Amino acid sequence: MPNTVKGAIERGRATVEDVLEVGRNTVEDVLKVGRNTVEEVIHVGRNTVEEVIQVGRNTVESARRVGQGTMQAAVLHGREDVRIEQVPVPEAAPGELIVRVGAALTCGTDLKVFRRGYHARMIVPPALFGHELAGTVVQAGEGVEGFATDARVVALNSAPCGECYYCARGQENLCDDLLFNNGAYAEFIRIPARIVAKNTLMVPDHVPLEHAALTEPLACAVHGFEDSRPQPGDTVAVIGGGPLGLMMVHVASLAGYQVIAIVKHNGQVEAARQLGAAHVVQAPTIRKAIRETRALTPKDRGVDIAIEAVGLPEAWEEAVEMVRKGGTVNFFGGCAAATRVSLDTNRIHYSDITLRATFHHTPAICRKALDLISSGRFQAGAFITGHAHLYELNRVFEKLMNRSTEIKTAIVP
Ligand SMILES: [Zn+2]
Ligand SMILES: [Zn+2]
């Protein structure tokens, strides 16, 4: 009996201790789970709140875009400072067009502007940026004839006044009141009435918009080539393997001339050959380039025409040393402001050398350029070596500054 009581007490005590222990653990577990649960709830709550704020912000942002009719566009603020910003979608005033940009092409001029932060004649910041484009008409202002909604067009970057001394003489590229348009790196662009009337062209259905966008630079090349007054059988040297140098090589070879391309970078050698150069000179110094180019002509007499497409004073001087007696030099590449060249007067006079310096284009030449693109003979695709979205524009320019082998990048908004 006493054993039984004693045993019962002991079992009771052990049971109570077990219960206490289990109870203590359970309470600790509950506290722990509770603590974790509370932390998780706080965490989830915080994320949810942040997400709600973000979604709200995006919704407000897009509501504002739609409400105000805004679009994304590249805005040049200064040196190497281009920002993609929300700006209002332009509205067509009488005579104007609003074009949805299909493709805008990078250009050496834009790269210069990006580096310098401005262009004396073409662009003063802050300003919309980019000038080689083709796209589709989304709105035609009052009084516009010949361009309906959805028409595929290439709108040039400028138009002459048609009334000044120079326009009257057919030198519209020198117009006293040349009107420039920028803003191609955007979803939409406004085309001013004068450009609509004089320098906006319909793109044939079989021509991709990004090819049609080459009309502007090609017009410069065609103008520069024709202005050099080539004669049948001439040998033409083109100094420079950038986009315009290569275009000049192609234009001259398509016209049936023997072309010597003088390039600097390895990647340009193959491109010049593909575009029709009979010879490619890649010399480490200007002296050697002159000697090697002359060596490609009978008795080292020099080329009939030398076209400088670099835009450096030393290359201008180089061009003068490459031509034969009676030859023509075209200083086609524009140099930085206030630069000068030193030329041998005796050589120019006693060798009867013609010096020309072709700038820009005229409406008639722009039509010729688009015809050449539409003909299928011009290898438009060879000039567009990359594609990028508008928001990648800064990266694209940085790449172009680092002397990449890219010729032109099509910016697709
Ligand atoms: Zn250009
Ligand atoms: Zn004019």
Side-chain angles (χ1 to χ4, degrees):
M1 212 34 196
N3 282 346
T4 312
V5 170
K6 213 174 161 195
I9 289 171
E10 238 150 56
R11 261 183 273 120
R13 197 175 285 145
T15 308
V16 168
E17 269 170 22
D18 276 355
V19 167
L20 278 175
E21 182 61 26
V22 169
R24 199 174 289 138
N25 288 345
T26 309
V27 167
E28 268 171 26
D29 276 354
V30 167
L31 278 175
K32 208 167 138 194
V33 169
R35 200 174 290 140
N36 287 347
T37 308
V38 167
E39 267 170 26
E40 213 170 284
V41 165
I42 288 172
H43 188 71
V44 168
R46 195 175 288 146
N47 285 349
T48 309
V49 167
E50 269 169 26
E51 215 170 282
V52 165
I53 288 173
Q54 191 54 44
V55 169
R57 200 175 282 150
N58 290 347
T59 309
V60 167
E61 186 66 29
S62 62
R64 216 175 51 196
R65 276 188 69 178
V66 172
Q68 297 182 342
T70 66
M71 64 171 184
Q72 294 208 306
V75 181
L76 177 75
H77 284 270
R79 281 186 58 189
E80 292 176 35
D81 185 7
V82 170
R83 302 175 209 161
I84 305 304
E85 296 179 1
Q86 292 294 332
V87 304
V89 175
E91 285 272 327
E96 294 183 343
L97 289 176
I98 304 303
V99 169
R100 179 190 292 278
V101 178
L105 305 180
T106 60
C107 162
T109 304
D110 290 345
L111 187 60
K112 264 190 229 172
V113 169
F114 181 73
R115 264 203 204 110
R116 295 176 192 166
Y118 69 96
H119 187 291
R121 296 205 64 182
M122 295 183 197
I123 185 165
V124 180
L128 296 174
F129 189 39
H131 65 276
E132 296 177 9
L133 77 127
T136 47
V137 172
V138 291
Q139 195 192 356
E142 212 185 292
V144 170
E145 279 172 26
F147 300 108
T149 305
D150 289 337
R152 300 167 81 243
V153 296
V154 54
L156 274 295
N157 64 333
S158 73
C161 75
E163 285 158 19
C164 71
Y165 176 79
Y166 302 95
C167 284
R169 295 170 68 94
Q171 294 178 302
E172 294 116 313
N173 58 313
L174 304 177
C175 173
D176 271 335
D177 182 29
L178 205 53
L179 173 74
F180 283 100
N181 192 31
N182 280 289
Y185 301 131
E187 292 176 74
F188 300 93
I189 183 170
R190 173 205 310 277
I191 312 300
R194 194 201 284 176
I195 296 180
V196 174
K198 298 193 173 170
N199 246 350
T200 298
L201 312 173
M202 291 290 288
V203 176
D205 286 341
H206 71 279
V207 179
L209 288 175
E210 64 182 43
H211 291 184
L214 288 164
T215 300
E216 196 274 323
L218 182 58
C220 293
V222 170
H223 192 201
F225 182 64
E226 290 189 354
D227 227 16
S228 309
R229 318 264 163 91
Q231 300 297 313
D234 276 356
T235 293
V236 180
V238 178
I239 305 173
L244 268 166
L246 291 173
M247 239 173 230
M248 193 63 91
V249 165
H250 198 33
V251 165
S253 79
L254 285 176
Y257 294 87
Q258 158 121 334
V259 180
I260 302 171
I262 295 122
V263 304
K264 199 168 171 190
H265 304 287
N266 291 335
Q268 297 167 340
V269 175
E270 203 36 57
R273 284 221 176 85
Q274 189 200 328
L275 294 167
H279 305 279
V280 180
V281 171
Q282 190 190 19
T285 65
I286 285 177
R287 282 279 126 223
K288 277 197 174 142
I290 294 166
R291 208 180 316 132
E292 283 182 33
T293 303
R294 282 184 163 274
L296 291 166
T297 62
K299 295 184 189 166
D300 290 8
R301 72 176 172 222
V303 298
D304 303 291
I305 296 172
I307 300 175
E308 195 277 357
V310 179
L312 285 175
E314 53 267 36
W316 280 36
E317 292 169 3
E318 176 183 5
V320 174
E321 296 302 318
M322 276 180 184
V323 289
R324 63 164 170 85
K325 286 188 283 184
T328 297
V329 174
N330 194 330
F331 301 126
F332 180 68
C335 300
T339 48
R340 304 204 171 273
V341 289
S342 168
L343 301 176
D344 179 344
T345 53
N346 272 24
R347 175 166 162 67
I348 289 168
H349 179 77
Y350 295 106
S351 294
D352 196 351
I353 290 167
T354 302
L355 303 179
R356 308 195 62 85
T358 310
F359 166 70
H360 209 54
H361 47 66
T362 65
I365 295 275
C366 292
R367 281 150 181 82
K368 268 193 194 179
L370 181 57
D371 284 349
L372 186 54
I373 292 167
S374 306
S375 74
R377 296 172 62 228
F378 182 80
Q379 295 177 42
F383 290 91
I384 298 162
T385 48
H387 292 81
H389 282 284
L390 195 52
Y391 61 79
E392 298 172 290
L393 192 62
N394 266 297
R395 190 187 54 73
V396 169
F397 275 119
E398 272 156 29
K399 216 169 139 196
L400 287 172
M401 285 213 292
N402 294 327
R403 296 229 146 267
S404 69
T405 53
E406 301 284 343
I407 302 176
K408 280 177 175 287
T409 300
I411 306 295
V412 183

